[in-house]
Amino acid sequence: MSDAILLIVSCALLGSVVGFLAGLLGIGGGLVIVPILSTILRYFDIVPESQIVLVAIATSLASILFTSTSSALAHHRNGNVPWNIAPFIMGGVAIGALVSGFLAALLPEPIIRGIFAVSVVLIATRMLYSSSKKTVSQRALPSGPILSLITTLMGGLSAMIGIGGGALIVPLLSYFSLDIRKAIGCASASGIVIALFGSLGYITSGIAHYTFAQGFAGFIYLPALFGIVLTSWFMAPIGARSTQFLPVSTIKKIFAALLFVIATHMIIS
């Protein structure tokens, strides 16, 4: 088997896991894609060591564009995308993601990852606690402009480390008493915007480094993107359908467990 085919098969296996998680939890999958794709890129010696993470993040965002679209369509069919608030959230994450794509190479990644890891631990702890409570306090959602402001920060941070934003958006909406299935559906729709505008930033900033003839669109490595999307597009609806049958407390516990794993990996790395 040639290296090119082996790389695509490896990415396809990765995409199948990512797609299911995207549909089930509303995450774009970047938290899984970036570390594993970095290993794949290193193994096949695709790019210099100094740019492996950057290319993995850019490719992750591009794949999330497809995965989140598939997931959002499935959640929309199930009536789980709250379109009354989704435009405010999507507008906020669009601004944050676009700006972060240009700033990613200028800001200290270890500090960003540290802040994100601590935030995720706190969010996971809160979600795990709420999943075991018999009664949950009802909290009103902030106004549209306030939601846009909050999600601008979330979108920027998410795009900067190559994720779709669900790890932050789902707990936020769940905190404000939105049904977790609708929070997951909204996060899936928001992931499309984060991925689109974040990818544009990485394409623009990477044009000077790589060419289409080399298999790149800016910093996005196209063979890896093809392999991931090949399976994630079909697995996302399966994950979305699973949310219709799992109890809310179970979904929250799965989400919290995933967040703890994510935060641990970020702290260690």
Side-chain angles (χ1 to χ4, degrees):
M1 185 181 295
S2 70
D3 283 354
I5 295 176
L6 184 58
L7 183 143
I8 291 174
V9 170
S10 300
C11 291
L13 292 173
L14 172 60
S16 64
V17 176
V18 166
F20 182 79
L21 290 175
L24 178 66
L25 301 176
I27 62 172
L31 292 163
V32 179
I33 294 173
V34 173
I36 296 178
L37 183 55
S38 295
T39 302
I40 293 173
L41 293 173
R42 184 175 292 109
Y43 177 82
F44 289 100
D45 196 22
I46 303 297
V47 293
E49 183 70 27
S50 62
Q51 293 184 331
I52 284 177
V53 174
L54 193 60
V55 171
I57 289 173
T59 306
S60 169
L61 279 174
S63 72
I64 288 168
L65 177 59
F66 296 90
T67 305
S68 289
T69 298
S70 178
S71 175
L73 288 172
H75 281 292
H76 172 69
R77 288 192 292 269
N78 292 328
N80 284 337
V81 181
W83 291 111
N84 58 319
I85 62 171
F88 294 105
I89 295 173
M90 294 170 76
V93 298
I95 296 170
L98 183 60
V99 172
S100 75
F102 292 103
L103 296 179
L106 304 177
L107 298 176
E109 185 187 358
I111 293 177
I112 295 169
R113 290 170 69 87
I115 294 173
F116 187 87
V118 171
S119 301
V120 165
V121 168
L122 295 176
I123 290 168
T125 303
R126 171 71 193 180
M127 182 163 280
L128 193 61
Y129 172 71
S130 67
S131 71
S132 62
K133 291 178 67 175
K134 299 294 184 182
T135 58
V136 180
S137 303
Q138 295 296 309
R139 302 178 184 86
L141 277 165
S143 63
I146 299 299
L147 266 180
S148 293
L149 179 62
I150 296 172
T151 52
T152 295
L153 299 175
M154 290 183 170
L157 184 56
S158 297
M160 203 169 293
I161 57 176
I163 66 174
L168 298 178
I169 292 172
V170 172
L172 170 72
L173 297 179
S174 180
Y175 174 80
F176 287 111
S177 305
L178 187 69
D179 178 77
I180 193 166
R181 296 181 180 89
K182 294 189 182 297
I184 289 170
C186 192
S188 295
S190 300
I192 300 171
V193 181
I194 292 176
L196 175 61
F197 286 90
S199 295
L200 288 175
Y202 282 107
I203 290 172
T204 304
S205 60
I207 287 175
H209 298 269
Y210 298 103
T211 65
F212 188 76
Q214 295 174 292
F216 286 84
F219 282 120
I220 298 169
Y221 187 50
L222 299 176
L225 173 63
F226 172 75
I228 293 169
V229 174
L230 190 63
T231 51
S232 65
W233 177 271
F234 300 102
M235 290 300 294
I238 296 175
R241 283 196 295 272
S242 300
T243 64
Q244 299 298 107
F245 307 106
L246 288 174
V248 169
S249 61
T250 301
I251 297 174
K252 285 188 174 183
K253 287 173 182 175
I254 293 172
F255 203 102
L258 180 65
L259 293 182
F260 279 123
V261 171
I262 289 163
T264 301
H265 176 269
M266 286 192 168
I267 292 170
I268 292 174
S269 63

